[in-house]
Amino acid sequence: MQGKGLITIVAIVLGLICLNELLPTWYASKIEKQATAIAGDNPEKYQKEIARLSKDTLNLGFTELYYTKAKDKEMKLGLDLKGGINVLLEINQRDLVNDLTNYSTNPILIEALNKTDEVQKNSTKSYIDNFFVEFDAVNKAKGANLKLADPEIFGNTNLSEIKFNTTDEQVESIIKRRIDLSVGTAFEVIRTRIDKMGAVQPNVQRVPGTARISVEMPGMKDIDKVKKMLQTSAKLQFWEVQQVPEVASYFQTLTTAVSTKGDSIGIAKNINFLSLLQLDKLQSNGVANVKLSDTAKVNKIINSKIAKSLRPANIKYTQFMWGYKPESTDTNSLVLYAIKGNINQKAPVDGAVETASIGYDDLSRVVVDMQMDSKGAKEWKTLTERNVGRPVAVTLDNRVYTAPNVVGAIPNGRTQISGNFSQEEAKELVDVLGAGKLPAGAKVVQATQVGPSLGQESIDAGVISFSIAFLIIIAYIIFYYGGAGVYAVIAMIINLFYIFGIMDSGDFTLTLPGIAGIVLSMAMAVDTNVIIYERTKEELFAGKGILEAYKDGFKHALNAIIDGHLTMILTAVVLFFFGTGPIKGFALTLLIGAVMTLFTSILLSRVMIFHRLNKGKGLSVWTPPTKNLFRNTWIDFIGKRKYSYIFSTILTIICVGSMFINGFKYGIDFTGGRNYVVRFDKDVNAEDIEHSLIKVFSTADGKNSSVEAKTFGNDRQLKISTDYLIDDESLKADQTIEQKLFDGLKQNLPSGITLEDFKSADKDHAGIVSSEKVGPTVADDIQLHGTLAVVAALAGIFIYILVRFRKWQFSLGAVAALLHDAIIILGAFSLFHTVMPFNMEINQDFIAAILTVLGYSINDTVIIFDRIREYLREKKALTLSGLFDDSISSTLGRTFNTSFTTILVILAIFIFGGDNLRGFMFAMLIGIAFGTYSSIFIASAIAYDFLKTGKEEEVHGKTSTTKEVLASK
């Protein structure tokens, strides 16, 4: 065999690289197992053992291994396998635009920004693109003829590159570039903050084409702390403060308004607003001292349209802000401050901190000492000079940390924050300030939290399902192909080793869907070997010697294998570029697996087989029970195609009808909302839980928000979904929902459990084991990307089939079969989502399943079409119908073996792979079954009907001899 030396060298070099990459993972795992064996469940003892064992070094000659370095280089595990937190941050682009316009108050600009905010809620375009569209529309509607380069828009001192004659197109380009640079700055700040949090193997990435940053932190548990650290702008602001005499009359007016118009505000009329403020208990420079339980009511009142319309001139731009935390003298209340604002709400001193450190005041209380930069020092001096004897507030993200009275002007830019801090709170603030300020505010638009116990359960489920699937493949292929099957198994094991090695060397993250992708790659490897061995069997039955039969078997199988793999690679590429999160992980492993299968099953396997054959040794390609299976099977598929048309039409009508009548259960990644997987210490009734939660999740107007509770895995675990506060992506909203969830479930939870216990459950305790949040704008993007992925895959497959087979009839048949498969899967999810005991949501995983099925189905179709193309050249004496029947019948062995092994593999994952994969695998099961059916009865039948000339007599049979002329087609 030509090139066998090169193939062997490549295989050895690739193997050594993979070995070198995987050794650190093995060594780190070895050390951790030793530490666990000694320390048990004692975390302090475990850390001591790790520290002790870390001093050891393993010298392998070509490399030295020690724990710290090995831990840094070990294979990354996704959240679903390790537990941890993943958040998607979005930088506030309105803030960026305001900054670039130097906080202009031009009414056209303000209106355009307001309209952009509304449009953005249901748009998949970037904020800045929508802004330019809205600005142009408002500009024309007002007849203002403003240019973007106008001094009141972007032509200010902040943007020196914009001149009076710069065109709108040039300004748009400049602004987009500046915003991209600002997001890049935010990315660096976020990465620095994460380093300070001590996260192990964090993954921080910018999402291309957006102002979003994806942050994955395996092993982290405190999601509130993570959100707070990442969302904080670190932009300290210093404001003048208004006091009670300046707002007293306004509060009195509001009290009267509530008593008469409370219903329209969403507040009971009998509430006395003044009594809520507890002015008699005020001990600071605030304007109210409100009980924690009443802060929501006060917020609702002062932020209502009625309240804003009643404001007198002296507080028209006043911002009401809460204190950072309760005062030490009254831990059940929060102070409300009146911050003196202005038309553009720009602080007198804004984000000017240069350094920050922990210090102590005269009473040994923890404080944060700060030094401002030169510009900030001048502004701070001016502000303190102007407010001697009056309070000045220090705020961070609209929270007042302190508001002391100014004793005298501060000329050197030094100041101090004293906010009743604990040591840890002060350190967090110093870390945030030290990492640098964000160029704009940030909000979490998507978040996922997986508890460590659930992560371990996922690892166990993944290992079990993978092992069972792999054993099934090994047993079946050796049973069916004998000695040749042993070589196929060896090639698959090497293939598996390469996949893990490449994943590790590329610093890719292994996820549970990724494991599913690897298992399917193994099924593809089986398919490749099946094609080769089935062709080899045909050559042996034709009377050829074993060496020649294997040569021709590899030769004739090559086109079909390449066609099948290229379509699967195309599907994986589409999934990777259009998918997000778990879809990318699945696509990546599928892509690596497809490429490695081509190398190991076609090239490496061939080298090994011919190395044996060239020594004169035999190699069986069957076993006694399988030798003649499908050998003489012939079925008149084309003659029976009308029955398949009728069956598929009826099935399609049922499925489409169900889609219109029953609809679908959409996951939150398509609709937006929050999911919580909650574990209990006893069996619970999902329907009863749902009814009790609906009462808890009521909105301000008294309407109940959507809540769904469904058994997840077993009767002691529920998946709870809600769209309550769907448009509020703040940390406060997350905490409010968790509190309500806790209140609604409390009667079903163990006595004495606290909210903190509930939020961080483990394998031995009840509570939240995983959570997920998806904002509405992210949901829109996921929907769009999912749709684009399916359309792109179908278009790519149509073009590929057209190029490979040179006839549009084949492309039409292939795409029709794929549409048929997609409709059947969608119909199944529509029909059964209310009755199945597992999750059947239409979500990202479902899109991945659809596209994988399309890839598998087209692979199956390509094998049949490839044989039809071969017979068109070799069997010109056959009728077209006979030729199609012969082609399909001759590939039945391959079709059965591939479908059977793939279904067995998917069943193993479905049964043992964990709750998160069950809906995904159910879609795969239906898809593989109907994908096999459609390749034979839909794709081939349609291709036949559009290829035939109409002159052929429909004579069906293996010995049909009427010639069909296709040259004119």
Side-chain angles (χ1 to χ4, degrees), residues 431-451:
D431 285 345
V432 167
L433 295 174
K437 63 183 180 181
L438 290 175
K443 60 182 178 180
V444 173
V445 292
Q446 185 176 1
T448 304
Q449 179 185 19
V450 179

Side-chain angles (χ1 to χ4, degrees), residues 494-531:
I494 295 172
N495 185 12
L496 189 62
F497 178 67
Y498 285 164
I499 291 173
F500 280 112
I502 291 170
M503 289 282 292
D504 202 1
S505 63
D507 207 26
F508 302 128
T509 301
L510 182 65
T511 62
L512 200 57
I515 290 177
I518 292 173
V519 174
L520 283 176
S521 297
M522 296 300 98
M524 287 169 55
V526 171
D527 183 41
T528 302
N529 286 289
V530 166
I531 295 170

Side-chain angles (χ1 to χ4, degrees), residues 35 228 304 381 873 882:
K228 182 180 174 183
S304 66
K381 180 185 176 184
R873 295 192 301 265

Side-chain angles (χ1 to χ4, degrees), residues 259-326:
S259 66
T260 58
K261 302 178 181 178
D263 292 342
S264 59
I265 298 175
I267 295 293
K269 292 181 180 180
N270 61 355
I271 287 178
N272 187 315
F273 178 61
L274 273 181
S275 67
L276 294 179
L277 303 181
Q278 299 187 113
L279 298 178
D280 56 321
K281 295 184 179 180
L282 191 61
Q283 299 178 16
S284 66
N285 286 319
V287 293
N289 191 63
V290 183
K291 288 181 181 179
L292 292 173
S293 57
D294 290 331
T295 53
K297 296 174 187 174
V298 172
N299 268 336
K300 195 175 292 184
I301 293 169
I302 62 178
N303 292 320
S304 66
K305 289 182 180 179
I306 292 174
K308 290 179 180 178
S309 68
L310 293 173
R311 286 192 179 193
N314 70 312
I315 61 168
K316 183 177 181 181
Y317 300 112
T318 295
Q319 301 178 71
F320 288 100
M321 296 186 190
W322 295 103
Y324 159 66
K325 62 187 293 188

Side-chain angles (χ1 to χ4, degrees), residues 46 70 79 162 198 361 565 579 657 775 793:
Y46 174 81
L79 299 189
I162 296 178
D361 64 11
H565 277 71

Side-chain angles (χ1 to χ4, degrees), residues 134-262:
E134 294 304 319
F135 178 83
D136 186 57
V138 174
N139 201 13
K140 288 178 180 176
K142 301 290 185 183
N145 296 320
L146 268 176
K147 290 183 63 182
L148 291 174
D150 190 279
E152 288 190 66
I153 311 300
F154 294 112
N156 56 69
T157 53
N158 282 354
L159 294 162
S160 57
E161 64 263 54
I162 296 178
K163 312 299 181 185
F164 73 93
N165 59 349
T166 306
T167 65
D168 282 357
E169 290 76 14
Q170 291 171 326
V171 172
E172 287 183 12
S173 177
I174 292 168
I175 297 304
K176 286 180 180 180
R177 186 172 67 250
R178 289 292 292 266
I179 285 180
D180 188 63
L181 288 171
S182 294
V183 176
T185 300
F187 171 76
E188 295 301 328
V189 170
I190 293 297
R191 193 159 60 177
T192 304
R193 288 184 188 177
I194 289 168
D195 290 341
K196 288 179 178 290
M197 292 176 72
V200 179
Q201 291 186 322
N203 184 17
V204 189
Q205 294 180 331
R206 285 188 62 179
V207 180
T210 71
R212 292 172 181 166
I213 299 169
S214 173
V215 179
E216 188 169 284
M217 305 172 72
M220 294 294 288
K221 298 178 183 178
D222 192 343
I223 193 166
D224 285 352
K225 179 181 177 181
V226 170
K227 287 179 180 178
K228 182 180 174 183
M229 286 287 285
L230 297 183
Q231 289 184 106
T232 299
S233 67
K235 202 172 182 180
L236 276 180
Q237 296 178 319
F238 301 79
W239 300 86
E240 294 177 305
V241 177
Q242 294 172 292
Q243 295 182 279
V244 173
E246 295 169 89
V247 297
S249 61
Y250 173 61
F251 284 167
Q252 186 62 56
T253 303
L254 273 186
T255 303
T256 305
V258 169
S259 66
T260 58
K261 302 178 181 178

Side-chain angles (χ1 to χ4, degrees), residues 578-687:
F578 288 101
T580 56
I583 294 182
K584 278 187 180 290
F586 176 78
L588 183 65
T589 52
L590 196 62
L591 183 61
I592 295 171
V595 174
M596 285 298 99
T597 297
L598 283 173
F599 176 72
T600 56
S601 297
I602 295 179
L603 300 177
L604 191 57
S605 176
R606 181 170 182 164
V607 168
M608 292 189 292
I609 288 173
F610 282 99
H611 177 73
R612 176 184 177 88
L613 294 177
N614 287 331
K615 289 183 176 180
K617 297 179 181 180
L619 186 64
S620 64
V621 76
W622 55 62
T623 59
T626 63
K627 179 178 180 179
N628 293 309
L629 278 179
F630 301 105
R631 181 180 176 185
N632 296 311
T633 303
W634 189 91
I635 300 172
D636 182 11
F637 290 105
I638 295 301
K640 296 177 173 60
R641 71 189 186 282
K642 292 178 183 177
Y643 298 110
S644 66
Y645 284 163
I646 293 170
F647 173 72
S648 290
T649 300
I650 293 171
L651 212 54
T652 300
I653 291 171
I654 292 172
C655 290
V656 172
S658 177
M659 291 180 213
F660 281 103
I661 297 170
N662 296 331
F664 299 100
K665 170 67 176 93
Y666 289 101
I668 64 165
D669 43 5
F670 271 29
T671 61
R674 291 169 174 86
N675 273 342
Y676 299 91
V677 175
V678 181
R679 184 170 292 167
F680 299 84
D681 63 342
K682 59 186 178 183
D683 291 353
V684 292
N685 184 286
E687 192 173 337

Side-chain angles (χ1 to χ4, degrees), residues 36 71 205 800 921:
T36 302
K71 191 66 179 173
Q205 294 180 331
Y800 181 78
M921 285 300 143

